[in-house]
Amino acid sequence: MLHLDGQMLKLEEIARVARDAEAVLLTEEARQRMEASRRVVERILAEGRTVYGVNTGFGKLADVRISAEELGALQLNLVRSHACGVGKPLSPEETRAVLLLRANVLARGLSGARPVLAETLVRMLNAGVLPVIPERGSVGASGDLAPLAHVALCVVGEGEATLHGQRMAAARALQLADIKPLQLEAKEGLALLNGTQAMAAVGALALLRAEMVARVADVAGAMTLEALRGTPVAFDARIVAARPHPGQQEAAVHLLALLSESEIRLSHLENDPRVQDAYSLRCMPQVHGAVRDALKHARRVVETETGSATDNPLVFIETNEVLSGGNFHGAPLALAFDYAAIALAHLAAMSERRIERLVNPDLNEGLPPFLTRTPGLSSGFMIAHVVAVSLLNEMKLLAHPASTDNLPTSANKEDHVSMGMTAANKLRKAVKLAEQILAIELLVAAEGVEFRAPLRPGRGVERAHRAVRQHAARLAEDRPLSSEIQALAEAIRRGEFDL
């Protein structure tokens, strides 16, 4: 069980709740902080002070004072008006991550909301009541207003939700789970809407998959190196130590481990006329390592964000002040997700170049054209490479940054936006495409290694080869490969090639 206290959460902790349905519990310390911050809000109301988000309108309408009698209606209107997202819903895993992260932000005790808000989100999470959250509609300025409004709509018993995979009215889902809809009080609608938890949730789960992809790229690359009778000399620890980027060092160590005890390597250790391999083989530590470092940076940003108060205004119980700021702006996440998508495009480009070398008879070191034993009659892996090129083209489009765009909103009050949700959605797509490209490389490289038999590849490559053969037999004759590529992509996602 994960205890929520407003702390920073690791990507793995998010994944356990999102994917494995680990239960969540709000700590007593968090409840006490939330109660203390709520008392500050109530004191403001009792004193008749004007504070943004407590008794005013929002955005451009912040100058409009709202009467005490209308504060509940103000919060409900805020939720209803902002729930206008479009597009397909976030996945159940992403939705669970949104609920987790939003509850954790409230647990910080800086939002001025009653503990019951966080408790309700936790109860929904544990019961499997998942709001239907459209993936499009956020510009990441005052956070993810539209996506989070759909969460808040469910909290008040409106909108739609799923329960045990069935889509229904949110009121019905809450009733079946014995969860009472809330009547929002002053500031509480805003406390649910302001924040970056939708983009953080989508991006966090995508990043965890991306880290897996980076490690699998080493596996696929090592198998290709063996099939092409390449040399691991470029991965020598002395070379890597001369340029000690952490990711480069990790990738080189991983590659050498995968290639250890290779009989294929021993077969061309001496009297090989080749001096050095192509960059897509020789520079794997440098490129794969740079990707690892980019993803580590993105991880640090996301994990910092998970324990951050990102709504507005914030309530500080030490001084009984409510201060307006801009922690809801998604720039840190947007830039990190764009960086990660760019990094993955480099990783996929290296993989595509290695696939080309495997199938091209002018480059594949004596392997049959397109790795078929009957070239001409059969096309072998010719179109598998074409598919990889198609996927890579889409990845390059997704590598274009969302965060460089800016279209002011809210009558120019929100005059710089992050487009962080767009960046997160792009990253998710980029990861899926990278998994498919690496699946193609694994499929083709496994075939190439077969042609080097009876010589055995390195121990790690041999394990990877066996894993490929669990999903795809050797290509004795032409056959449709779509299902096998997809099966290998899913195996990558499950961790079967994280060797």
Side-chain angles (χ1 to χ4, degrees):
M1 179 176 288
L2 180 64
H3 291 74
L4 281 192
D5 190 35
Q7 75 273 31
M8 286 176 54
L9 297 172
K10 296 289 185 183
L11 298 187
E12 290 79 6
E13 291 175 311
I14 298 170
R16 289 204 305 270
V17 173
R19 297 175 183 170
D20 304 330
E22 180 176 325
V24 175
L25 178 68
L26 194 68
T27 67
E28 182 59 32
E29 292 80 4
R31 287 191 182 89
Q32 292 175 3
R33 287 197 301 271
M34 294 180 71
E35 288 171 352
S37 71
R38 185 63 193 174
R39 286 194 291 270
V40 173
V41 172
E42 291 172 348
R43 191 175 302 118
I44 287 170
L45 293 171
E47 295 172 356
R49 284 188 279 157
T50 301
V51 175
Y52 172 74
V54 176
N55 49 16
T56 72
F58 308 103
K60 184 68 173 178
L61 303 176
D63 297 334
V64 179
R65 174 69 185 266
I66 308 300
S67 68
E69 295 77 19
E70 296 175 312
L71 293 183
L74 171 69
Q75 299 301 312
L76 185 57
N77 285 342
L78 175 71
V79 170
R80 287 171 171 168
S81 67
H82 284 52
C84 54
V86 297
K88 67 179 184 180
L90 298 184
S91 70
E93 293 81 7
E94 291 167 336
T95 305
R96 290 179 62 83
V98 172
L99 292 176
L100 170 69
L101 296 181
R102 192 67 217 159
N104 195 50
V105 166
L106 293 175
R108 283 291 308 272
L110 294 173
S111 301
R114 293 170 294 161
V116 69
L117 259 71
E119 290 168 347
T120 299
L121 292 175
V122 168
R123 289 192 65 192
M124 289 166 57
L125 184 58
N126 289 338
V129 176
L130 305 180
V132 175
I133 307 173
E135 69 176 2
R136 291 189 174 88
S138 171
V139 297
S142 290
D144 294 312
L145 293 175
L148 293 177
H150 287 273
V151 175
L153 202 63
C154 184
V155 169
V156 301
E158 299 184 14
E160 290 186 294
T162 62
L163 179 62
H164 308 310
Q166 293 188 338
R167 188 164 173 169
M168 62 188 74
R172 177 62 175 160
L174 292 173
Q175 181 185 39
L176 291 173
D178 195 26
I179 300 172
K180 186 178 180 180
L182 294 183
Q183 287 189 331
L184 299 177
E185 297 184 2
K187 194 185 179 298
E188 291 184 334
L190 192 61
L192 286 171
L193 266 61
N194 256 177
T196 58
Q197 285 66 54
M199 69 177 87
V202 173
L205 296 178
L207 273 176
L208 204 55
R209 285 171 62 183
E211 290 179 342
M212 177 86 74
V213 163
R215 295 190 294 272
V216 174
D218 295 344
V219 177
M223 191 182 294
T224 297
L225 187 84
E226 291 279 60
L228 295 174
R229 299 173 66 248
T231 174
V233 168
F235 315 149
D236 188 285
R238 292 165 293 181
I239 295 175
V240 176
R243 193 193 195 193
H245 291 291
Q248 178 173 318
Q249 292 177 314
E250 291 171 12
V253 169
H254 190 203
L255 286 162
L256 287 174
L258 291 164
L259 296 163
S260 66
E261 301 184 29
S262 168
E263 293 178 356
I264 296 176
R265 170 55 179 156
L266 291 175
S267 73
H268 62 96
L269 189 60
E270 297 179 357
N271 303 317
D272 191 330
R274 297 172 298 172
V275 177
Q276 53 190 11
D277 292 319
Y279 286 3
S280 59
L281 299 171
R282 191 190 340 154
C283 298
M284 283 192 286
Q286 289 73 26
V287 179
H288 294 193
V291 172
R292 286 173 183 250
D293 288 338
L295 297 178
K296 285 179 184 176
H297 168 74
R299 172 188 274 263
R300 286 194 297 271
V301 171
V302 172
E303 291 181 346
T304 298
E305 192 81 353
T306 63
S308 301
T310 56
D311 51 325
N312 179 61
L314 296 179
V315 179
F316 296 93
I317 60 176
E318 298 82 4
T319 58
N320 291 323
E321 289 182 284
V322 180
L323 304 178
S324 290
N327 279 4
F328 46 63
H329 200 288
L333 293 173
L335 291 169
F337 295 152
D338 279 341
Y339 186 20
I342 291 169
L344 286 177
H346 281 278
L347 197 74
M350 288 277 281
S351 178
E352 182 277 324
R353 287 292 80 200
R354 293 193 296 264
I355 297 169
E356 158 70 3
R357 300 193 79 82
L358 285 164
V359 301
N360 188 335
D362 295 329
L363 302 172
N364 67 10
E365 303 297 334
L367 295 172
F370 306 105
L371 302 187
T372 175
R373 283 172 280 188
T374 56
L377 174 64
S378 302
S379 295
F381 292 96
M382 178 189 296
I383 305 305
H385 173 242
V386 172
V387 173
V389 171
S390 171
L391 300 174
L392 179 59
N393 173 253
E394 190 172 352
M395 285 195 71
K396 290 177 179 178
L397 294 177
L398 295 171
H400 180 84
S403 57
T404 54
D405 188 26
N406 180 57
L407 290 170
T409 62
S410 191
N412 220 42
K413 188 76 168 183
E414 297 164 2
D415 59 353
H416 184 273
V417 303
S418 75
M419 300 299 181
M421 189 65 183
T422 305
N425 287 334
K426 285 196 314 94
L427 178 59
R428 181 217 293 139
K429 293 178 184 177
V431 172
K432 183 175 182 179
L433 293 168
E435 290 167 344
Q436 292 170 335
I437 291 171
L438 286 173
I440 293 172
E441 184 180 3
L442 286 167
L443 184 63
V444 178
E447 197 76 18
V449 167
E450 298 267 10
F451 282 104
R452 302 304 182 189
L455 297 176
R456 297 173 60 181
R459 282 191 170 186
V461 171
E462 193 170 36
R463 289 198 302 273
H465 180 269
R466 287 197 298 268
V468 170
R469 289 292 173 249
Q470 292 296 313
H471 303 281
R474 189 172 185 187
L475 195 66
E477 58 184 1
D478 281 352
R479 64 175 185 264
L481 297 174
S482 294
S483 61
E484 295 171 22
I485 293 169
Q486 191 56 41
L488 286 168
E490 292 169 1
I492 289 171
R493 199 170 306 132
R494 290 192 300 268
E496 293 181 26
F497 291 93
D498 192 11
L499 304 173

